[in-house]
Amino acid sequence: MKNFFISFEGIEGSGKSTQVGKLSSKLREEGKAIEVVREPGGTRVGELIRHITHDRENVELTAVAEAYLMAAARAQLVRDIIKPALQSGKIVIADRFIDSSFAYQGYGRELGEGTIFEMNKLAIDQVFPDLTFFLDISPEVGFARRNGTEKVDRLDLQQKDFYERVYRGYKKLAQKYKERYVVVDGSKSIDDVAEGIWMEVIEKIKG
Ligand SMILES: Nc1ncnc2c1ncn2[C@@H]1O[C@H](COP(=O)(O)OP(=O)(O)OP(=O)(O)O)[C@@H](O)[C@H]1O
Ligand SMILES: [Mg+2]
């Protein structure tokens, strides 16, 4: 199996990083050559951009600027890491990719999916995931996980509409890109989710 690119998507707290870790270990145990990346980031320049996009001080960052920063980090990641890895026959696993831009900047910030696609065309250089796991949990469950047993804070509440739009965006994307999307019930236990993901990946590896 060559040129295989798997992405993980879902709102904060849905378990992406947890499952990326589980799948990577499994594939390594199987002796597969893999490359694991995260967005935004994964390259030196990309991590600098991540610093800008994730710094809560940057309240004035506009939606369009945010969208371009995400695309810029992605452009660097595709050329420095993803393309070379795929070309050398590795399996690439990404903790977020272009669907995060569709969901967050397209739907969450309401720039529109079409606009985001135009902005990302050059960035992705025709690299699309072959398989995308959408870890489906409601924004409420996501909030609860991130905050432990603590109550949801003021900022989280203010952002509730935003996260609802992001979540609904992911659902639309899963419908639209049925051929590569696998929707996983992210409210199950970590091991159950990992098992479901592994079954899908095995199927693809065999095929
Ligand atoms: N299936 C699960 N059931 C219960 N808790 C989980 C599950 N998966 C992950 N968690 C826990 O929820 C928290 C968030 O998980 P994780 O960091 O993997 O999410 P994420 O999708 O990567 O979030 P972010 O987008 O913020 O990076 C962690 O404390 C993790 O241990
Ligand atoms: Mg994560």
Side-chain angles (χ1 to χ4, degrees), residues 10-19 50 95-96 104 135 145-146 186-191 193:
I11 60 168
E12 283 94 331
S14 57
K16 298 179 296 298
S17 303
T18 304
Q19 295 300 330
R50 184 186 182 92
D95 192 337
R96 295 191 181 282
Y104 284 77
L135 301 183
R145 276 192 195 163
R146 294 207 300 286
S187 67
K188 290 187 182 165
S189 75
I190 290 175
D191 286 343
V193 174

Side-chain angles (χ1 to χ4, degrees), residues 101-118:
S101 283
F102 290 146
Y104 284 77
Q105 284 79 46
Y107 289 100
R109 306 254 183 251
E110 301 183 296
L111 291 179
E113 193 190 321
T115 304
I116 298 302
F117 189 60
E118 288 304 319

Side-chain angles (χ1 to χ4, degrees), residues 116-185:
I116 298 302
F117 189 60
E118 288 304 319
M119 289 170 84
N120 275 273
K121 263 188 189 161
L122 190 57
I124 62 171
D125 201 16
Q126 296 177 37
V127 173
F128 250 101
D130 300 293
L131 180 61
T132 299
F133 288 107
F134 167 42
L135 301 183
D136 185 351
I137 60 160
S138 67
E140 287 75 18
V141 174
F143 278 128
R145 276 192 195 163
R146 294 207 300 286
N147 293 293
T149 53
E150 294 295 305
K151 284 196 126 178
V152 173
D153 71 21
R154 190 183 54 82
L155 197 73
D156 284 339
L157 278 176
Q158 281 177 359
Q159 293 177 339
K160 199 165 181 296
D161 287 355
F162 171 74
Y163 283 107
E164 283 290 343
R165 287 198 297 275
V166 171
Y167 179 61
R168 284 200 305 272
Y170 270 128
K171 294 219 155 199
K172 274 188 212 161
L173 292 165
Q175 278 294 317
K176 183 167 176 179
Y177 296 105
K178 272 203 179 96
E179 69 293 346
R180 70 176 163 94
Y181 255 86
V182 174
V183 181
V184 179
D185 180 355

Side-chain angles (χ1 to χ4, degrees), residues 12 16-17 37-58 61 66 69-74 77 95-96 100:
E12 283 94 331
K16 298 179 296 298
S17 303
V37 297
R38 72 163 180 185
E39 278 207 343
T43 63
R44 195 188 66 82
V45 168
E47 291 296 325
L48 292 172
I49 293 172
R50 184 186 182 92
H51 194 71
I52 300 172
T53 57
H54 281 49
D55 188 345
R56 282 186 171 232
E57 294 251 310
N58 293 335
L61 187 65
E66 181 183 77
L69 286 171
M70 295 299 181
R74 185 165 300 130
L77 186 65
D95 192 337
R96 295 191 181 282
S100 284

